Every structure is written in structure tokens, then in C-alpha cells.
Amino acid sequence: MFEIQIYNKVRNNIMKNFKRTLVTTALPYANGPVHIGHLAGVYVPADIYVRYLRLKGDDVLYIGGSDEHGVPITLKARKEGVSPQDVVDKYHTLIKDSFEKFGISFDIYSRTSNSTHHKTASEFFKKLYDKGVFIEKESDQYYDEEAGQFLADRYITGTCPHCNNPAAYGDQCESCGTSLNATDLINPRSVISGSTPQLRKTKHWYLPLDRYQEFLEKWILKEHKEWKPNVYGQCKSWLDLGLQPRAVSRDLDWGVPVPVEGAEGKVLYVWFDAPIGYISATRELTPDWEKYWKDPETRMIHFIGKDNIVFHCIVFPTMLKAEGSFILPDNVPANEFLNLEGDKISTSRNWAVWLHEYLVDFEGKQDVLRYVLTANAPETKDNDFTWKDFQARNNNELVAILGNFVNRAVVLTHKYFEGNVPEKGKTEVLDTQTLEAIPDIVKRVSANLDHFKFREALREAMSLARLGNKYLADTEPWKLIKTDVERVKTILNVSLQITANLAVVMEPFLPFTAQKMRDMLNMTEPRWVDGGNTELLSPSHAIGEAKLLFEKIEDAKIQEQLDRLARTKVSNEADNKEAEPAKEDVSFEEFTKMDIRVGTILEAEKVPKTKKLLKLKVDTGIDKRTVVSGIAGYFEPEKIIGQQVCILVNLAPRKIRGIESQGMILMAEDADGRLDFVAPTTKIKAGSQIS
Ligand SMILES: [Zn+2]
């Protein structure tokens, strides 16, 4: 009790001054689709939070959009031979569509290549410029003389000075994770031409973070001790290191042009322009946007992954503070990372579960993924997603606990009372205890949601279904129906009230399922205030038909996903495989001893009782001879008749499985073990010599 009082006091102090909430989510980068790591870290928790506030009747806006500027986009465009606009159009559409199907309930999902954003970002920069906030500084940057352009960030690669990774980028080494300056790299090379770049002077604008150090220390370290320990800790270590001015412009032709004279060929650095995207999107959504960004009675929350903490807690607040008219975030509940089957999720290595693919492979099962990603959310430490855990949570929790309870309550009501909510008669102790537990559970769900503890909130919400299952198991209405109909009426009334409460509290977590439950119960739009009400359904209210909420996921379905990941692993290993070192030198005379000819396969058949061997008849031009070759794993005998090959004809004959093999067909072996013929690209007469 004492704890609850203290807690309420703290909570009132935190909450009392806010009239509305603005929730922003990190802008996904439009050079690839979104994956489960993005969802677990940012979009699912934010969506739960926003749905919860909406249920409470709060004024809340949920802002999202694609980040469409920066070097990875222009590099991808160059690699694919398309324009940067083509790249961002493709992925923005894919990302927006998959979020929608997954039930992420943005009020707007915008993009940073549109004109409202260009205007907003440009004005923002101009205002800081006019106030004299920036430091203008000339520095030496790498320039590609062949391509005639400066090389920003990932346009340059070289060897990492910390870990010797030969493929580190101009802004970061992905191998050891260190942030780099291009000039730190050993043996820098231009990604465009491959040439060694030269240093040239260029002017850029810097945000003097160091001048805001004192303000940030007070604002974060003193006034926001309630931030999550991982967020607070990361901010503290940045501040302890001492902040440095940070460039906010780049020499590039894709992005928001720097809106001042003498800045031709320069754009805003993507990390300056992206968070302004939250403002632009709000501006696009409503003419009232300033109310959400400038009124101190607005509570702003940034949902992000841990890799974005410094930008949302230090860089963006400094920009907002320097501008002067904006509010600062009240909280930044960043999550840690989600791994996949024990390995770091990676877009470039294709090691991910992609949302758009999940939506096809597990059609209609959005809530299963939402459930698993929340139950296993990386809230306080990195966590691992495994397909086995996904299956187990679906089968043992969603099917066996939630689905099973709701189904029994609805089916029994139809069976015994023609689908009408029965009257609650005289209650026993168990009934009263059960009913009293409902509002307590709902309160605990609320308290956890208020503190961004989504895992715990979901666990509490599920405890309501557990309560229902236990109640049915203890009361056994299916036995009592023969002897005590009045008692069964009370039991099913209580069970249906639990179900109705589940239809309310599950809405933020499992919106598709909660909607189905409300359809089943003929309930109107939910309100959070209804949670805990033990008379949500009136006696004789007619409920609808039972619907299947969840179904068991079979092993085969999971195995498909595991097989796909296994194939990715093999192909990644093959991509990374390095060529074998060269063998010892041979003399030209030694080489010419080998008699290699062009031949044509005339016949092919499998060698019985072997998996790998084919018996071939080859026209060598000299003769027609038999060769045994270990290629059956890769070629169907009937498909290689007529194939031209290179054959070593003077290899001493040897017996293989009782067959005399006279020569050897030359094969190339790919990194993954796949074999292919080495053959002329045009038809060559059999017997022609290879030299
Ligand atoms: Zn490194």
C-alpha cells in the first residue's frame, strides 16, 4: 500500500502537466525492408503505447516515416544503375505497406524526400545559421579526382586502424563497431573509382555540441534520472568523454541542399535532417502541428533502438534547444538489440526475418509475431529470437492459454444458454476472489505500460487468461450442468466478464485478436476505463459465434524457416570464402606434359549404388572412351548429353567401382561446393588441344 502511494505520487508529478503526447519512432532507412529487429526495438512497443493512450482517450499523435537521404542510398543506386529516388520509392512503398498490414497504427507515415520535409529542414538550418549557432570551418576531406567529387562517409573504404578490417567505411568500422573519420583509414580508396583519393579543402558547418555540454548534463543527468538505465548510462558516458562540434553538412548531391550562399554541392548531413523529419511529418499531418512541438504541455517520447541514443538524447535536443521554440523529449525509451538464432541481425548478410516475407509466410498471424516480439523484447539487454521459441509461445501460450480460455467461455455459453449472457446468481468465495482479481490485473498492466515495461505488461495481461483457465478448471461447469444449472449460469457469467476484459486489455498488444474477441462478444469500441469492470456484459446480452483466435503451428512450418536461414548461412560462407593460395610453381615443360582436349559427352548414366558417380562416354576426337566422374550430385545424366568439356586424356587409367576410367573431366568448384563444367564458349571440334 505504501509503495503504491509513493508510486502514485511520483506518477502524478511526472504526468500532471501534460495535455497531449507526441510519439515518434526512428525513421527506418529506405535502402532495405524492415525486419524483426526494427519491430521489437521500436515499432511494436511504440504501437502498444499509442494504442493504450488512445484507449484512455488521450490526445496522442504517432509519427513515422522513411529516412531517404544519406550515402548508403546513393551508393545502392549507383550499384543498381538506378536513381536514388528509384531506390527510396521502392523501399518506402514496401516498408509503408508492410507496417500497415502488420497493424502499426501510425497517424502518418511520411518520408524525408518530400517537399514539406525539404522546406522544414531547410528553414530549421537557416534559423540556426541566422542565429549564429554554427561554426563554419574549412577542413581537408578526401576527393576523388577521377570522379570529380568529394567522398563522404561510405564513399570511402580502407583499413580500420583499430582492428585491421580491410573493408572499414569512412564513417564506421562494422567489424569492431568504432566510429571513424575518413582520414583515420589506412590505405583509403574511393568506392566510386577505386583510386587513392587526395585531400582537398572544403567548408562545412558544425553544431558546437561542446557549448551545450553544461545544459545537457543538467537536463539529462539531473532532471531525467527516470530514463531507462541503458539510455541514461550511454548519455552519461558520452557526456563524460566531453562533447565535440559535429559537422551537419556533407559534399553530396542527394539530400536537402544547404540553404546558404557558397554552399553549392553541399547537403544537410543525414543525421541533421532525419530527426527534423518528425517535425515535417507532423506538419504534413495537421495545421495544428506547432501545438505538438512547441507547447510545454505536450509530452514528447522518442522510441528508438540503442544505436540511435546519442542522436536523440544529445544531438537532436541540442538542435531543438538552439532553435529555441521547440520542446525537448520527456523520455527516450530505447531498446537494446534483438538477435536471430544466436547471430546479430544483418541486412547486408540477409540474416533477418523480413516483415514483408513473414506477412506472406504466416498470413493472418500478425498478432503471433507481435506477441513473441513483446514477450521476448530486448528491453534491458540484447535478446535472441528463435523460431522454436516462436512456435512454443504460439502453441503453449496463445493457443493453450488465451485461445483455449476464450473459446471455452464462448462455446459453453452457446451450448447451454443459446448464446445469451446468463444471469450471475449467488456468488461463492472463488467467484468473488476471481472477480476481484480482474481490476488488480488491469491496474498492473497500466502501471507497467506507463513505465514502458511492455514485457511485464503483456505478462500481466496474459495472467487474466490464466485466471480464467484456472477458474474454469476449478469450477468444471461441464460437469455441473447436469445437476446445477443456476451455478453454471454464475460461472459462465464470470467467465464471460473475464473474456470481455481480455478484449479490452489485449487491444494494445494483439489488436487483430482483440477485435475478433469483441466481434465474438458483440462488444462496441473498447475504452481502457472499461478494463476492470466486472459487469461489462449485461445479462441476456446476445454474443456472436465462436471464432478461432489462434492455431497450432506445426514443426514443418518452422523447419521451412530454419532451412531458409541455413541456406543463407551457406551462401554467406561461400561469399566470404577466400581463394586457396597458389600451389608451387611448375615449369612450362611440366605443364605441356598434360594433354588436355576438347571433348563431347555422348552417353551418361549413374553408376549403380553410388550417389556421386556418373559413367560417361566421351568423344575425345582421338577415340570414344569411358570416364567416371563425381558429378552426379549436380547433373542429371540425360541433360548433359552433347555437353562440351575439357578432358585430360593422358591421365593414367584407373579403376573406380570396377569401371576403368580413362581420363579426367575438368570441373570448376564454386565456394559452396557446386561443380560446373569448364568448356569452350563456342562450339569447338572434339580433339582440339588446350594450351
Ligand atoms: Zn575496426
Side-chain angles (χ1 to χ4, degrees):
M1 197 59 197
F2 178 68
E3 269 181 31
I4 288 178
Q5 276 170 358
I6 296 266
Y7 161 73
N8 281 338
K9 213 170 164 186
V10 170
R11 184 163 176 262
N12 290 340
N13 282 342
I14 294 171
M15 311 281 232
K16 73 179 172 199
N17 294 322
F18 296 112
K19 279 191 180 158
R20 64 191 76 80
T21 307
L22 178 69
V23 169
T24 72
T25 39
L27 307 184
Y29 207 56
N31 70 339
V34 291
H35 55 61
I36 54 169
H38 299 121
L39 295 174
V42 178
Y43 306 100
V44 170
D47 193 61
I48 293 170
Y49 191 67
V50 168
R51 283 175 184 271
Y52 163 65
L53 295 186
R54 285 190 193 124
L55 280 178
K56 293 209 302 179
D58 287 6
D59 178 357
V60 55
L61 288 187
Y62 185 8
I63 304 296
S66 302
D67 179 358
E68 304 188 317
H69 294 141
V71 170
I73 304 269
T74 52
L75 276 179
K76 189 162 187 118
R78 174 179 281 274
K79 199 172 148 197
E80 293 181 1
V82 297
S83 71
Q85 191 66 49
D86 290 335
V87 172
V88 300
D89 284 351
K90 175 178 163 189
Y91 289 110
H92 170 73
T93 310
L94 180 69
I95 293 170
K96 185 170 192 282
D97 177 61
S98 57
F99 274 145
E100 242 167 62
K101 288 186 179 138
F102 193 54
I104 301 294
S105 58
F106 293 116
D107 288 296
I108 182 167
Y109 188 81
S110 187
R111 56 194 304 191
T112 59
S113 68
N114 74 17
S115 60
T116 305
H117 176 67
H118 274 237
K119 183 164 175 277
T120 308
S122 194
E123 286 170 3
F124 198 106
F125 180 93
K126 193 69 181 8
K127 181 151 180 204
L128 297 198
Y129 178 84
D130 289 342
K131 286 178 88 173
V133 169
F134 298 125
I135 302 166
E136 280 183 36
K137 204 165 69 177
E138 277 213 329
S139 64
D140 287 327
Q141 305 260 314
Y142 280 121
Y143 185 85
D144 183 330
E145 285 174 347
E146 282 177 40
Q149 70 170 77
F150 278 100
L151 302 169
D153 308 316
R154 302 204 160 196
Y155 272 111
I156 198 150
T157 65
T159 302
C160 171
H162 303 285
C163 74
N164 288 325
N165 163 26
Y169 297 116
D171 57 350
Q172 199 196 16
C173 168
E174 287 196 338
S175 184
C176 68
T178 313
S179 268
L180 298 172
N181 285 315
T183 46
D184 299 337
L185 294 173
I186 301 162
N187 296 325
R189 290 180 311 280
S190 162
V191 168
I192 303 171
S193 65
S195 64
T196 303
Q198 305 301 315
L199 286 170
R200 259 200 202 186
K201 288 230 176 302
T202 179
K203 184 165 78 176
H204 283 289
W205 289 268
Y206 290 74
L207 183 66
L209 292 173
D210 48 324
R211 291 183 197 161
Y212 293 81
Q213 170 105 18
E214 210 175 314
F215 148 72
L216 290 164
E217 280 177 0
K218 178 169 178 286
W219 175 63
I220 300 172
L221 302 183
K222 297 223 163 62
E223 296 169 14
H224 283 291
K225 294 191 186 209
E226 81 283 8
W227 285 5
K228 291 174 66 172
N230 58 334
V231 177
Y232 187 90
Q234 219 188 92
C235 291
K236 186 168 187 310
S237 59
W238 274 82
L239 290 166
D240 287 350
L241 278 173
L243 300 174
Q244 300 296 323
R246 203 176 175 104
V248 298
S249 53
R250 284 290 187 270
D251 290 293
L252 267 182
D253 56 4
W254 176 247
V256 178
V258 173
V260 298
E261 249 179 76
E264 288 71 33
K266 297 177 199 293
V267 297
L268 302 184
Y269 182 27
V270 65
W271 256 109
F272 185 83
D273 111 58
I276 298 174
Y278 302 143
I279 304 171
S280 321
T282 318
R283 194 174 177 179
E284 208 184 321
L285 175 67
T286 166
D288 258 354
W289 69 275
E290 282 177 298
K291 194 172 81 179
Y292 290 90
W293 277 97
K294 300 188 171 180
D295 181 352
E297 294 190 315
T298 297
R299 183 179 193 219
M300 176 156 71
I301 317 274
H302 296 312
F303 281 86
I304 55 167
K306 71 171 163 188
D307 50 337
N308 283 338
I309 291 174
V310 60
F311 293 103
H312 285 78
C313 297
I314 290 178
V315 181
F316 189 43
T318 299
M319 289 162 59
L320 295 170
K321 175 79 178 168
E323 201 275 355
S325 68
F326 286 88
I327 56 166
L328 301 178
D330 184 58
N331 210 324
V332 185
N335 271 340
E336 300 289 292
F337 284 157
L338 186 70
N339 296 322
L340 169 61
E341 302 284 353
D343 247 349
K344 202 177 159 202
I345 293 179
S346 158
T347 299
S348 58
R349 288 186 297 120
N350 190 26
W351 191 256
V353 177
W354 304 104
L355 178 58
H356 66 292
E357 290 182 353
Y358 174 88
L359 291 166
V360 174
D361 292 350
F362 293 90
E363 208 190 330
K365 290 188 168 45
Q366 289 93 330
D367 280 350
V368 180
L369 187 58
R370 290 176 69 108
Y371 180 83
V372 174
L373 294 179
T374 307
N376 191 28
E379 281 178 8
T380 52
K381 59 173 179 57
D382 289 359
N383 255 351
D384 198 26
F385 176 95
T386 69
W387 280 109
K388 286 284 176 206
D389 177 64
F390 170 86
Q391 181 189 29
R393 287 192 188 272
N394 178 76
N395 294 356
N396 307 339
E397 297 173 24
L398 292 175
V399 174
I401 298 169
L402 179 57
N404 179 40
F405 167 67
V406 172
N407 186 263
R408 284 197 292 177
V410 172
V411 167
L412 292 179
T413 302
H414 277 285
K415 195 167 167 193
Y416 304 147
F417 306 110
E418 292 163 338
N420 297 314
V421 177
E423 194 93 40
K424 184 170 71 199
K426 202 162 75 61
T427 51
E428 295 182 1
V429 175
L430 180 62
D431 308 329
T432 320
Q433 280 174 347
T434 303
L435 288 168
E436 280 172 3
I438 300 174
D440 289 345
I441 289 174
V442 177
K443 264 183 219 148
R444 288 199 293 272
V445 176
S446 295
N448 281 301
L449 287 177
D450 287 335
H451 288 82
F452 309 111
K453 294 184 172 170
F454 300 101
R455 287 171 73 137
E456 192 54 26
L458 177 60
R459 213 181 60 82
E460 288 291 351
M462 278 300 279
S463 75
L464 195 52
R466 289 179 208 272
L467 177 79
N469 269 328
K470 182 168 185 312
Y471 178 71
L472 281 181
D474 289 346
T475 52
E476 299 185 307
W478 45 88
K479 285 188 183 162
L480 285 176
I481 191 67
K482 292 164 204 145
T483 55
D484 192 350
V485 176
E486 288 308 306
R487 177 77 194 121
V488 173
K489 283 184 181 171
T490 300
I491 294 167
L492 284 185
N493 183 295
V494 171
S495 303
L496 287 170
Q497 305 302 349
I498 296 174
T499 310
N501 271 275
L502 278 167
V504 176
V505 298
M506 284 301 177
E507 162 68 23
F509 307 97
L510 312 174
F512 296 90
T513 306
Q515 181 61 55
K516 278 191 202 165
M517 287 165 64
R518 292 194 298 273
D519 290 348
M520 266 193 254
L521 296 176
N522 258 330
M523 283 171 76
T524 49
E525 283 306 297
R527 300 174 309 163
W528 194 256
V529 69
D530 294 333
N533 179 349
T534 54
E535 290 176 6
L536 258 182
L537 300 176
S538 329
S540 80
H541 169 84
I543 64 169
E545 287 303 313
K547 287 186 191 177
L548 189 69
L549 292 182
F550 303 101
E551 59 185 358
K552 210 172 159 218
I553 294 174
E554 300 298 338
D555 290 347
K557 191 84 186 158
I558 295 302
Q559 197 54 48
E560 277 172 25
Q561 297 299 326
L562 292 173
D563 289 346
R564 175 185 293 185
L565 288 174
R567 285 195 297 274
T568 299
K569 206 157 233 177
V570 169
S571 119
N572 284 341
E573 276 162 15
D575 285 350
N576 294 330
K577 195 164 173 185
E578 289 190 21
E580 293 289 326
K583 293 177 186 170
E584 240 178 84
D585 287 353
V586 294
S587 67
F588 184 69
E589 287 68 32
E590 282 173 293
F591 171 69
T592 53
K593 280 185 191 166
M594 284 192 276
D595 189 350
I596 307 173
R597 307 285 180 122
V598 173
T600 306
I601 297 175
L602 301 175
E603 293 168 16
E605 59 183 275
K606 289 199 97 166
V607 177
K609 294 178 194 163
T610 70
K611 277 190 184 150
K612 288 189 176 168
L613 300 181
L614 289 187
K615 180 181 162 192
L616 308 173
K617 175 156 285 175
V618 182
D619 177 4
T620 63
I622 310 163
D623 51 24
K624 296 183 173 65
R625 60 171 79 181
T626 299
V627 176
V628 176
S629 185
I631 58 174
Y634 298 93
F635 299 98
E636 300 287 332
E638 58 273 20
K639 295 212 173 121
I640 56 170
I641 309 296
Q643 169 75 45
Q644 286 215 298
V645 296
C646 295
I647 175 168
L648 180 60
V649 291
N650 63 338
L651 183 69
R654 58 191 180 129
K655 278 213 164 165
I656 301 173
R657 293 284 173 137
I659 305 164
E660 187 171 82
S661 181
Q662 301 160 309
M664 187 174 81
I665 310 275
L666 303 192
M667 304 297 295
E669 185 178 345
D670 201 3
D672 61 3
R674 187 179 61 90
L675 296 176
D676 201 359
F677 292 107
V678 177
T681 55
T682 56
K683 185 125 182 124
I684 299 273
K685 192 173 176 342
S688 302
Q689 283 190 309
I690 291 171
S691 56

